[in-house]
Amino acid sequence: MYGLVNRAVEQMVRERFGAERWHAIQARAGLEDEGFLALRTYPDDVTYRLVAAASEELGVPAPAVLEAFGEYWVAATAQASYGDLMRLSGRTLPEFLQNLDQMHSRLALTFKHMQPPSFTCSDVTPTSLVLHYHSTRAGLLPFVVGLVKGLGEYFHTPARVEVVATREDGAPCDSLRVTMAA
Ligand code: HEM
């Protein structure tokens, strides 16, 4: 996973819990005391270890860490560094979700070694849709839940997010029903 992602985890922990907590998490994850380079790729294992260490150190279940990270990512990284891309990708929450795949294809031009996730939508109504999440990686569904909630805040469109199918239970992909306040 690109260092950009690990860096955002670091930034979130530092902002919310301080430098000391971050160093404890880094040590628990068995990582060197050096920063992540945004455009370098790191083994996925580094990200998983960071999440596990943060979960243990902060006493919060790993899925909750991932969900909080998803919300943080939209508020901090996506808006701060990729504002133009965010604006180009849709004017409303449902429009944006239906363009997620295109957004990631654009990102793959910059992040050449990226293994991007893929998203499709079905059952689209004026107030809800089902978002299908495809990935080569396991265990990141709570991250997507947080991302979608973060996008709801970004668009000032409170959204309820329910997991309706998971790969873990044998479905071909993970699926989330997103319901927007009418
Ligand atoms: C505009 C800001 C964004 C940037 C710059 C960005 C960039 C990235 C990068 C670099 C990765 C690592 C992939 C790799 O190294 O193989 C990643 C992963 C991911 N991104 Fe984005 N992303 C953005 C917005 C979003 C949004 C809005 C979503 C909403 C669902 C999203 C969903 C994901 C997921 C789920 C992953 C984990 C990889 C996987 O599932 O396999 N991203 N993103």
Side-chain angles (χ1 to χ4, degrees):
M1 197 98 74
Y2 271 95
L4 182 78
V5 174
N6 301 329
R7 254 168 85 139
V9 174
E10 173 176 351
Q11 197 184 333
M12 179 178 84
V13 170
R14 280 182 183 274
E15 269 176 33
R16 296 192 178 162
F17 304 98
E20 223 168 279
R21 235 41 204 296
W22 165 248
H23 291 302
I25 288 168
Q26 215 178 12
R28 197 185 268 266
L31 297 171
E32 308 265 311
D33 190 7
E34 58 180 57
F36 295 106
L37 298 175
L39 293 182
R40 199 192 123 184
T41 54
Y42 294 81
D44 282 358
D45 179 50
V46 169
T47 311
Y48 287 111
R49 265 160 41 212
L50 267 182
V51 171
S55 158
E56 287 160 18
E57 192 66 36
L58 303 171
V60 176
V65 172
L66 280 168
E67 189 173 323
F69 178 52
E71 291 193 53
Y72 180 84
W73 176 268
V74 174
T77 313
Q79 283 188 60
S81 309
Y82 296 89
D84 286 347
L85 180 61
M86 291 292 287
R87 275 186 291 280
L88 280 172
S89 300
R91 285 161 302 166
T92 63
L93 178 61
E95 191 179 297
F96 190 96
L97 293 176
Q98 289 173 84
N99 283 334
L100 262 180
D101 233 26
Q102 237 182 14
M103 191 194 84
H104 277 92
S105 311
R106 286 210 188 116
L107 282 167
L109 298 174
T110 311
F111 299 96
K112 295 225 182 322
H113 305 289
M114 187 174 185
Q115 287 175 268
S118 175
F119 295 92
T120 53
C121 293
S122 70
D123 307 272
V124 181
T125 77
T127 55
S128 70
L129 55 77
V130 178
L131 179 70
H132 304 281
Y133 160 54
H134 303 258
S135 170
T136 54
R137 304 178 171 97
L140 298 180
L141 179 57
F143 177 47
V144 180
V145 171
L147 283 159
V148 175
K149 287 184 179 170
L151 289 170
E153 285 160 34
Y154 173 79
F155 286 106
H156 307 291
T157 304
R160 196 170 77 230
V161 183
E162 294 159 272
V163 175
V164 293
T166 63
R167 281 188 287 162
E168 222 177 290
D169 291 335
C173 67
D174 298 313
S175 301
L176 304 168
R177 182 180 302 281
V178 183
T179 310
M180 289 142 278

